[in-house]
Amino acid sequence: QVQLVESGGGLAQRGASLRLSCAASGTIFSNNVMGWYRQTPEKERELVARITGTGMTFYGDSVKGRFTISREYGKNTVYLQMNSLKPEDTAVYYCNCLDGDMNYWGKGTLVTVSS
C-alpha cells in the first residue's frame, strides 16, 4: 500500500510562485510514474505534469514553461515548482503514483491564486 501526502498549497498572488511537495510512503518501485493533477468544481481532473522513474517529464499545455516537476528518489518525494501563477491555476492539486498496475492518489492540496 502506498500513501501520498501533499503539502505546500496555499494562497498566492498573480505572478507569484509556490512549490508543492508529495511524500510517498510504503512499498513502491523506483520506476514508477509520479504526477500532479488538478481539479476545480467546474472542470474534470486534468494532468498538470508527470515524471517517470528515469526522469522523463511531461506537462500539460497550460503549464508548460511555468511549472517544473522533479523528484528526489532517496526520499520518494516529488515536487511541483509553480512559477508565474495565474488565477486560472486555482484548483485542488492531487499527487498521483502509478506503480505497476496500481494507481494511488493523495488527498489533495488547495492552491488559490488571486488577481
Side-chain angles (χ1 to χ4, degrees):
Q1 189 73 15
V2 173
Q3 289 188 329
L4 304 174
V5 179
E6 303 100 335
S7 61
L11 178 64
Q13 292 187 333
R14 178 194 291 269
S17 298
L18 284 175
R19 189 176 83 154
L20 304 183
S21 299
C22 172
S25 61
T27 303
I28 59 176
F29 295 101
S30 60
N31 61 348
N32 57 40
V33 178
M34 301 289 294
W36 289 95
Y37 289 72
R38 66 187 182 186
Q39 187 171 19
T40 67
E42 297 79 21
K43 295 183 180 180
E44 294 183 354
R45 191 171 297 189
E46 65 173 354
L47 174 67
V48 176
R50 62 173 176 244
I51 183 167
T52 70
T54 59
M56 292 180 62
T57 59
F58 176 84
Y59 295 93
D61 288 340
S62 60
V63 305
K64 283 180 181 177
R66 299 188 298 122
F67 291 10
T68 303
I69 189 170
S70 61
R71 62 190 297 171
E72 194 168 355
Y73 293 90
K75 295 184 178 180
N76 286 330
T77 300
V78 64
Y79 304 98
L80 184 68
Q81 179 66 43
M82 305 186 295
N83 298 329
S84 302
L85 284 164
K86 303 176 181 180
E88 50 264 45
D89 294 319
T90 296
V92 177
Y93 285 71
Y94 295 92
C95 181
N96 173 263
C97 175
L98 183 60
D99 188 46
D101 294 333
M102 303 301 293
N103 198 15
Y104 301 97
W105 293 94
K107 294 183 178 181
T109 184
L110 177 63
V111 172
T112 304
V113 183
S114 65
S115 56

